Amino acid sequence: MPNNLFRPLGHKELLILTKLLGEKLNKLPYKFNLLEEVWADENAHSRILVNLLRDKTTLHSFISFLKRRYDRRFDFDEESVVSPQITSERYRIDGLICEHNKYAIIIENKIHGAKEQSEQLSRYIKKCIRLGYSLLKIYIIYITRTQYEHASEQTWGNFKGRFSKRYVDISYKEDIIDWLDEYYQEIPRKEEDLASGIYQYKAYLIQLTNNYKYKKMDPNIKNLITSSLQLEDKNGEEQLRALKANKSAIDNLSGYIDALMIEAYKKIFEEWSIKLGVEFNTFELLHHSNDDNYLKTGIILPYSEKYKIAVLIEQNLQNKNIYYGFGRHHISDQLIPEVKTFCESLLMERELEGWITNDNIWWYCWKYTTVESGYADLVALIKLVQDKMNTN
């Protein structure tokens, strides 16, 4: 087949096509999904899944689904579930389903591709052993966005070979959506709240993962792409070659856009650092960092003659999460118990909710935010710390 049957679109044309596609989408019937509006991060997805599984019937359905789909790779007897305790983000584990001295199921959630920490699963397994669970009664569910992502070798430490029938790696795109779809059909209609929540969550995951198995192609969008790529007069093989070539061009353009987004984030943190230097010019500035993994900026406040507190905002460039709070960054080699007590007492006195205070080697406590409200959140927190220090 000659190569001149089509000409791949250039970046300029792709940008024009993207603009036209956006205009078409805006004219479609109105669709609203609360989760899409607030953007659920890794922790939010863990909480949603854990809250669903707190219902014993739902938990049985989930485990049964895994066993059927993965042919006994997950050799857990769902009938042994009697009075499960189900927690989210406790012991720094995304999800934990357990009954004392009986079993412990670890759920590790990587829907947004969060970077694995050193021997992460190994540390969770050891934690469960310290809690009194036999190694043979510990199970692991590792969840990624798509089936092409997997746990690395290092995350297991020395445990991987001992989990052949007690570990399953699944994905939101290929597994969780299917399970939600299956379970939704089984829910009695009187369970209106549960049914509504599952429907919304499934719809959000379909959008998030581009799961076309559950999507009907909109004819307006199909016609726009078909005419733009001049596919009407091509046979099937020619159409496929044209589509592949232009998908490659779109992927390349997406890579450039991702790089430009990181540059924009870096510029935002530089601007925030300058504003902090002006607004809090009597305090030591924690200068913004520009490395490949994290951006950060903030203020270093004197807690006492001996200790200081870093009040900062940081972004993980791997998963784009933005969070702020109290840290030991550029101050001490380890967390100071006295400072941690001070930070937690401030949150309690002001009745501030949504803060994470689990053990972390860098943070006393922190909270997720967005690029739109991050600077205002940080300034408000700095002023709260100043006020508490002035009244002590």
Side-chain angles (χ1 to χ4, degrees), residues 106-329:
I106 297 167
I107 298 176
E108 176 61 14
N109 186 355
K110 298 290 186 186
I111 188 171
H112 291 305
K115 188 176 181 180
E116 283 182 339
Q117 300 172 24
S118 176
E119 297 193 357
Q120 192 169 4
L121 288 183
S122 174
R123 287 188 285 107
Y124 296 162
I125 294 166
K126 290 176 182 177
K127 180 65 179 179
C128 288
I129 292 173
R130 289 196 297 272
L131 290 172
Y133 297 97
S134 163
L135 180 63
L136 296 178
K137 293 297 182 180
I138 299 174
Y139 301 78
I140 296 176
I141 302 172
Y142 193 95
I143 315 177
T144 56
R145 183 179 295 206
T146 72
Q147 63 184 354
Y148 303 107
E149 305 159 83
H150 303 283
S152 68
E153 290 292 325
Q154 68 81 24
T155 193
W156 285 97
N158 298 319
F159 285 107
K160 186 174 183 180
R162 306 169 76 175
F163 275 79
S164 60
K165 291 187 177 181
R166 291 177 289 112
Y167 166 75
V168 63
D169 54 342
I170 63 175
S171 72
Y172 278 89
K173 183 172 184 177
E174 288 81 13
D175 298 296
I176 297 292
I177 293 175
D178 279 0
W179 168 63
L180 290 172
D181 186 56
E182 178 183 294
Y183 187 55
Y184 179 76
Q185 310 303 324
E186 301 172 359
I187 301 172
R189 294 303 90 173
K190 64 180 181 179
E191 300 287 346
E192 185 176 312
D193 289 344
L194 178 60
S196 175
I198 287 179
Y199 182 85
Q200 284 263 313
Y201 191 41
K202 186 188 77 169
Y204 174 63
L205 290 175
I206 291 170
Q207 179 69 28
L208 182 68
T209 61
N210 290 319
N211 194 330
Y212 291 101
K213 174 181 176 181
Y214 288 94
K215 286 184 178 180
K216 293 181 179 179
M217 185 179 293
D218 183 270
N220 297 315
I221 297 173
K222 179 181 178 181
N223 292 337
L224 175 63
I225 296 172
T226 299
S227 60
S228 298
L229 301 183
Q230 300 177 351
L231 299 179
E232 298 94 336
D233 300 325
K234 293 181 173 65
N235 62 34
E237 184 178 343
E238 293 165 353
Q239 288 181 356
L240 182 59
R241 292 177 63 209
L243 289 166
K244 280 185 174 180
N246 283 285
K247 185 178 186 304
S248 177
I250 291 170
D251 289 342
N252 289 335
L253 180 61
S254 177
Y256 282 113
I257 291 175
D258 285 343
L260 287 171
M261 286 178 63
I262 289 176
E263 292 301 316
Y265 282 126
K266 288 181 178 180
K267 187 174 182 180
I268 288 170
F269 271 75
E270 290 172 4
E271 293 167 350
W272 285 350
S273 187
I274 293 170
K275 290 170 67 176
L276 287 172
V278 173
E279 191 165 354
F280 300 97
N281 54 25
T282 60
F283 294 103
E284 182 181 354
L285 184 67
L286 191 157
H287 290 285
H288 72 276
S289 65
N290 246 352
D291 63 33
D292 293 332
N293 296 311
Y294 297 94
L295 301 175
K296 61 176 72 71
T297 189
I299 294 293
I300 296 176
L301 296 171
Y303 165 67
S304 66
E305 292 183 2
K306 189 176 180 181
Y307 302 126
K308 296 179 180 180
I309 301 176
V311 187
L312 72 151
I313 187 167
E314 182 176 83
Q315 180 177 28
N316 183 330
L317 289 176
Q318 301 298 318
N319 56 29
K320 305 302 185 293
N321 285 346
I322 299 178
Y323 37 89
Y324 70 108
F326 307 107
R328 67 170 182 85
H329 305 71

Side-chain angles (χ1 to χ4, degrees), residues 40-49 109 111 172 201 204-205:
D41 58 27
E42 236 112 5
N43 299 92
H45 282 282
S46 299
R47 290 193 297 271
I48 291 169
L49 181 59
N109 186 355
I111 188 171
Y172 278 89
Y201 191 41
Y204 174 63
L205 290 175

Side-chain angles (χ1 to χ4, degrees), residues 35-65:
L35 286 167
E36 188 174 347
E37 296 300 317
V38 301
W39 192 85
D41 58 27
E42 236 112 5
N43 299 92
H45 282 282
S46 299
R47 290 193 297 271
I48 291 169
L49 181 59
V50 163
N51 282 328
L52 281 175
L53 298 180
R54 284 198 170 104
D55 176 78
K56 195 191 300 186
T57 302
T58 310
L59 178 58
H60 277 224
S61 169
F62 182 57
I63 294 172
S64 176
F65 174 86

